[in-house]
């Protein structure tokens, strides 16, 4: 499958609903974000290992989470779990030069590789990569329009909810009855929080602390 067939499939299956999401995913070269030996599988709709027990999410999940959060041009977005940097690159394409993407990775080696890759591909001015504990977010850069978490938390981290702007949205997988469920957390203009259950998922766990 090539990238065009993949995007057509995701549109057909309803994961991609907006033109800007399709265009962003067509523009970002996913093969640059996977290990050399896995490049032939870059446009298959499945997660792939990127080392250190981490994965690059399946393209349908990347699209689904971005659509669920409603990321748009000009947004200031916080991503928890940089991984390979692929998701941050797609987000950068959507938010455009008026927006900004802040992304946190707890494993220093992955963060450094992702930063290097993003800079090489021209996203360095739009994406800032940090090494840190994602569950704490980046309060010094808050508030954010959107927060996307790519690791499963035991419960919704209130520190992240606090870093959402009124009217902001967070999409996060959370442990649930022995499995995981993807939640959409909407912070109303009045600060009231609404939580919507979206679908069952499977992500690596959201861990505290950092690793070299």
């Amino acid at each position: 499958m090539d990238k065009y067939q993949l995007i057509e499939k995701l549109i057909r299956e309803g994961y991609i609903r907006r033109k800007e999401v399709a265009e962003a995913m067509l523009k970002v070269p996913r093969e640059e974000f996977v290990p050399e030996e896995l490049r032939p599988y870059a446009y298959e709709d499945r997660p792939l290992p990127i080392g250190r027990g981490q994965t690059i999410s399946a393209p349908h999940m990347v699209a689904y989470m971005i659509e669920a959060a409603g990321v748009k041009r000009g947004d200031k977005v916080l991503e928890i779990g940089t991984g390979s940097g692929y998701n941050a690159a797609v987000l950068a394409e959507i938010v455009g030069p008026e927006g900004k993407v802040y992304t946190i990775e707890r494993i220093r080696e992955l963060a450094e590789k992702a930063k290097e890759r993003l800079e090489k591909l021209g996203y360095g001015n739009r994406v800032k990569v940090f090494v840190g504990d994602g569950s704490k977010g980046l309060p010094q850069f808050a508030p954010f329009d959107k927060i996307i978490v790519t690791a499963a938390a035991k419960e919704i981290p209130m520190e992240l909810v606090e870093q959402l702007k009124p009217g902001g949205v967070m999409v996060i997988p959370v442990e649930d009855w022995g499995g995981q469920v993807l939640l959409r957390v909407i912070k109303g203009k009045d600060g009231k929080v609404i939580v919507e259950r979206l679908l069952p998922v499977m992500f690596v766990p959201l861990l505290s602390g950092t690793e070299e």
Side-chain angles (χ1 to χ4, degrees):
M1 193 182 294
D2 65 22
K3 67 162 70 176
Y4 297 98
Q5 291 169 320
L6 172 65
I7 299 308
E8 279 174 11
K9 173 182 181 284
L10 298 182
I11 291 169
R12 200 167 56 244
E13 292 173 353
Y15 291 108
I16 294 178
R17 299 194 302 275
R18 291 182 295 144
K19 183 168 169 264
E20 51 265 50
V21 177
E23 287 174 349
M25 291 184 73
L26 277 173
K27 206 162 175 190
V28 177
R30 193 170 186 256
E31 68 275 12
E32 294 285 344
F33 295 87
V34 301
E36 192 82 42
E37 67 277 11
L38 296 177
R39 285 187 170 197
Y41 312 105
Y43 294 102
E44 288 188 4
D45 189 17
R46 60 183 173 112
L48 295 169
I50 56 169
R52 301 296 295 269
Q54 306 299 300
T55 58
I56 179 173
S57 292
H60 77 269
M61 188 51 62
V62 171
Y64 186 88
M65 292 178 82
I66 289 171
E67 290 279 17
V71 178
K72 64 183 190 305
R73 198 169 186 86
D75 273 352
K76 183 178 171 187
V77 181
L78 173 62
E79 179 197 31
I80 310 298
T82 313
S84 67
Y86 173 73
N87 200 46
V90 176
L91 288 167
E93 286 288 353
I94 295 169
V95 303
E98 310 95 316
K100 199 82 172 178
V101 178
Y102 296 82
T103 181
I104 312 177
E105 173 55 55
R106 62 181 294 274
I107 302 171
R108 186 175 296 278
E109 180 192 352
L110 291 183
E112 286 172 356
K113 283 182 182 170
K115 184 172 188 286
E116 194 178 298
R117 203 175 281 127
L118 288 161
E119 283 174 357
K120 185 183 97 174
L121 293 168
Y123 297 108
N125 60 340
R126 221 176 289 177
V127 181
K128 294 289 174 207
V129 181
F130 296 84
V131 179
D133 182 344
S135 63
K136 309 282 186 216
L138 288 172
Q140 66 273 40
F141 296 105
F144 300 97
D145 297 293
K146 309 285 159 53
I147 299 178
I148 290 184
V149 185
T150 63
K154 292 195 181 300
E155 55 191 9
I156 298 169
M158 290 319 292
E159 283 171 87
L160 295 184
V161 176
E162 283 163 16
Q163 290 173 42
L164 272 177
K165 277 184 188 171
V169 179
M170 173 166 68
V171 175
I172 179 171
V174 172
E175 291 179 13
D176 178 71
W177 297 100
Q180 297 172 7
V181 65
L182 194 66
L183 302 178
R184 176 163 45 208
V185 180
I186 302 164
K187 191 178 200 176
K189 298 283 188 191
D190 57 359
K192 188 180 171 193
V193 175
I194 298 163
V195 179
E196 298 173 351
R197 296 169 68 88
L198 300 176
L199 76 169
V201 289
M202 189 179 290
F203 281 85
V204 296
L206 179 65
L207 302 172
S208 56
T210 59
E211 282 181 31
E212 289 307 309

